[in-house]
Amino acid sequence: MDSAASPADQSKPAVAKDENGTGSDDGKEEDYKMPDNASETLYLQNLNETVRVDFLKQTLQNLFKSYQVVPPVIAHGNLRMRGQAFVSFPNKEIADKARREVAGFPLYGKPMQLSFAKTKSDVIVRKEEGEEGLESHKKRRLEHKKETRKNNPLRQKMQAKLKAAAAADPTGAAAVAPRRPQIQMPDEYLLPNALLFLQNLPDGTTKEDLHEVFNQYPNLLEVRLIPAKKDIAFVEYADEESATVAKEALHNFKIDGETKMKVSYAKK
DNA sequence: AGCACA
């Protein structure tokens, strides 16, 4: 069992204002044209490889819930496929929206890299062509696999060429500067940290108040208030495990009997 | 880095 909260409990990522283009600060929406390699399925890379795959799948399912993710999320833990996943959506437009809005989202400490999958997912094929269509799709996949075995020299040459071209092309997608993800960071996706971040403290909370509350849990090191912002604070424990115990016990705790204090891991 | 569907 993971010490992290079950992914099913996790709040959905709040999408930044995305109506009428208010969520976009980089150009007019009307001019936007979806890339022609768009797909119903996104290919995710740079995922934290230390997260267990079924937990990761659940998390992704949850993270993309507001985009009507079509299950199943596909991920594998083997050498070739770890750190990657496939997430499908009802159509290309929604997939593209998710791609643009979630790009760079720091899931468990690593900014997600999103692109369109280059082949259709089985779920999508089934939706579009039914069960029979899916069968032939799978058959074709099998055959294609044989033609493109890893050590096919022709294939390797071609790949090297494409890679060089992509690197040389400053307008290529790979050259686009990473930008800030457009969705809010739910703290459930932060990595465990011995340092906790408190929010929504009631007016007049003192260092002593916090010390008393957090000292109920072992290995407390220090409490730091933020003079300029009196509703937030940091609480440091000796190690992540101790911090986790306190965080889970005290998140939403009402110090004054009515104001729910938010406790999350501090960002690293 | 790595494009799957057990």
Coordinates of all heavy atoms in Angstrom, one line a residue, chain A residues 80 82 120-121 141 163, chain B:
Chain A
R80 N 11.1 -0.8 -22.0 CA 10.9 0.0 -23.2 C 9.8 1.0 -22.9 O 9.8 2.1 -23.5 CB 10.5 -0.9 -24.3 CG 10.1 -0.2 -25.6 CD 10.5 -1.1 -26.8 NE 9.9 -0.5 -28.0 CZ 8.8 -1.0 -28.5 NH1 8.1 -1.9 -27.9 NH2 8.3 -0.4 -29.6
R82 N 8.3 2.1 -19.8 CA 8.1 2.8 -18.5 C 8.3 4.3 -18.7 O 9.0 4.8 -19.6 CB 9.1 2.3 -17.5 CG 10.5 2.7 -17.7 CD 11.4 2.0 -16.7 NE 11.1 0.6 -16.5 CZ 11.9 -0.2 -15.9 NH1 13.1 0.2 -15.4 NH2 11.6 -1.5 -15.7
K120 N -3.8 4.5 -33.7 CA -5.1 4.6 -33.0 C -5.1 3.5 -31.8 O -4.6 2.4 -32.0 CB -6.2 4.2 -33.9 CG -6.8 5.5 -34.6 CD -8.2 5.1 -35.2 CE -8.7 6.2 -36.1 NZ -8.9 7.5 -35.5
S121 N -5.7 4.0 -30.7 CA -5.9 3.1 -29.6 C -7.0 2.1 -29.9 O -7.9 2.4 -30.7 CB -6.3 3.8 -28.4 OG -5.2 4.6 -27.9
R141 N -1.7 -4.9 -36.8 CA -0.6 -4.5 -35.9 C 0.4 -5.6 -35.7 O 1.6 -5.4 -35.8 CB -1.2 -4.2 -34.5 CG -0.2 -3.8 -33.5 CD -0.8 -3.1 -32.3 NE -1.6 -4.0 -31.5 CZ -2.8 -3.6 -31.0 NH1 -3.3 -2.5 -31.3 NH2 -3.5 -4.5 -30.2
K163 N 15.5 12.0 -36.8 CA 15.9 12.7 -35.5 C 16.8 13.9 -35.8 O 16.6 14.9 -35.2 CB 16.6 11.6 -34.7 CG 16.6 11.9 -33.2 CD 16.9 10.7 -32.4 CE 15.7 9.9 -32.0 NZ 16.1 8.8 -31.1
Chain B
dA1 P 17.3 10.8 -23.2 OP1 18.3 11.7 -23.7 OP2 16.9 10.3 -21.9 O5' 16.0 10.7 -24.1 C5' 16.0 10.7 -25.5 C4' 16.0 9.3 -26.1 O4' 16.2 8.3 -25.0 C3' 14.6 8.9 -26.7 O3' 14.8 8.0 -27.8 C2' 13.9 8.2 -25.5 C1' 15.0 7.5 -24.8 N9 14.9 7.5 -23.3 C8 14.6 8.5 -22.5 N7 14.5 8.1 -21.2 C5 14.7 6.7 -21.3 C6 14.8 5.7 -20.3 N6 14.5 6.0 -19.0 N1 15.0 4.5 -20.7 C2 15.3 4.3 -22.0 N3 15.2 5.1 -23.0 C4 15.0 6.3 -22.6
dG2 P 13.7 7.8 -28.8 OP1 14.4 7.2 -30.0 OP2 12.8 9.0 -29.0 O5' 12.8 6.7 -28.2 C5' 13.2 5.3 -28.3 C4' 12.4 4.5 -27.3 O4' 12.7 4.8 -26.0 C3' 10.9 4.7 -27.4 O3' 10.3 3.9 -28.5 C2' 10.4 4.2 -26.1 C1' 11.5 4.6 -25.2 N9 11.3 5.8 -24.4 C8 11.0 7.1 -24.9 N7 10.9 8.0 -24.0 C5 11.0 7.3 -22.8 C6 10.9 7.7 -21.4 O6 10.6 8.9 -21.0 N1 11.1 6.7 -20.5 C2 11.3 5.4 -20.9 N2 11.5 4.5 -19.9 N3 11.4 4.9 -22.2 C4 11.2 5.9 -23.0
dC3 P 9.2 4.5 -29.5 OP1 9.5 4.4 -30.9 OP2 9.0 5.8 -28.9 O5' 8.0 3.5 -29.2 C5' 7.3 3.5 -28.0 C4' 5.9 3.1 -28.3 O4' 5.1 4.4 -28.2 C3' 5.6 2.5 -29.6 O3' 4.4 1.7 -29.5 C2' 5.2 3.8 -30.5 C1' 4.5 4.6 -29.5 N1 4.4 6.0 -29.7 C2 3.2 6.6 -30.0 O2 2.2 5.9 -30.1 N3 3.2 7.9 -30.3 C4 4.3 8.6 -30.2 N4 4.2 9.9 -30.5 C5 5.6 8.1 -29.9 C6 5.6 6.8 -29.7
dA4 P 4.6 0.1 -29.5 OP1 6.0 -0.1 -29.2 OP2 4.1 -0.4 -30.8 O5' 3.7 -0.5 -28.4 C5' 4.1 -0.3 -27.0 C4' 2.9 -0.7 -26.1 O4' 2.0 0.4 -26.1 C3' 2.2 -1.9 -26.7 O3' 1.7 -2.8 -25.6 C2' 1.0 -1.3 -27.4 C1' 0.8 0.0 -26.6 N9 0.3 1.1 -27.5 C8 0.9 1.5 -28.6 N7 0.2 2.5 -29.2 C5 -0.9 2.7 -28.4 C6 -2.0 3.5 -28.4 N6 -2.2 4.4 -29.4 N1 -2.9 3.4 -27.4 C2 -2.7 2.5 -26.5 N3 -1.7 1.7 -26.3 C4 -0.8 1.8 -27.3
dC5 P 1.2 -4.2 -26.1 OP1 1.8 -5.1 -25.1 OP2 1.4 -4.4 -27.5 O5' -0.3 -4.1 -25.8 C5' -0.8 -3.7 -24.6 C4' -2.2 -3.2 -24.7 O4' -2.3 -2.1 -25.6 C3' -3.2 -4.2 -25.3 O3' -4.4 -4.2 -24.5 C2' -3.5 -3.7 -26.7 C1' -3.4 -2.2 -26.4 N1 -3.2 -1.4 -27.6 C2 -4.1 -0.4 -27.9 O2 -5.1 -0.2 -27.1 N3 -4.0 0.3 -29.0 C4 -3.0 0.1 -29.8 N4 -2.8 0.8 -30.9 C5 -2.0 -1.0 -29.6 C6 -2.2 -1.7 -28.5
dA6 P -4.9 -5.6 -24.1 OP1 -5.1 -6.4 -25.3 OP2 -6.1 -5.4 -23.2 O5' -3.7 -6.2 -23.2 C5' -3.9 -6.7 -21.9 C4' -4.0 -8.2 -22.0 O4' -3.2 -8.7 -23.1 C3' -3.4 -8.9 -20.7 O3' -4.5 -9.3 -19.9 C2' -2.6 -10.0 -21.2 C1' -2.4 -9.7 -22.7 N9 -1.0 -9.4 -23.1 C8 0.0 -10.1 -23.8 N7 1.1 -9.5 -23.9 C5 0.9 -8.3 -23.3 C6 1.8 -7.2 -23.1 N6 3.1 -7.2 -23.5 N1 1.4 -6.1 -22.4 C2 0.1 -6.2 -21.9 N3 -0.8 -7.2 -22.0 C4 -0.3 -8.2 -22.7

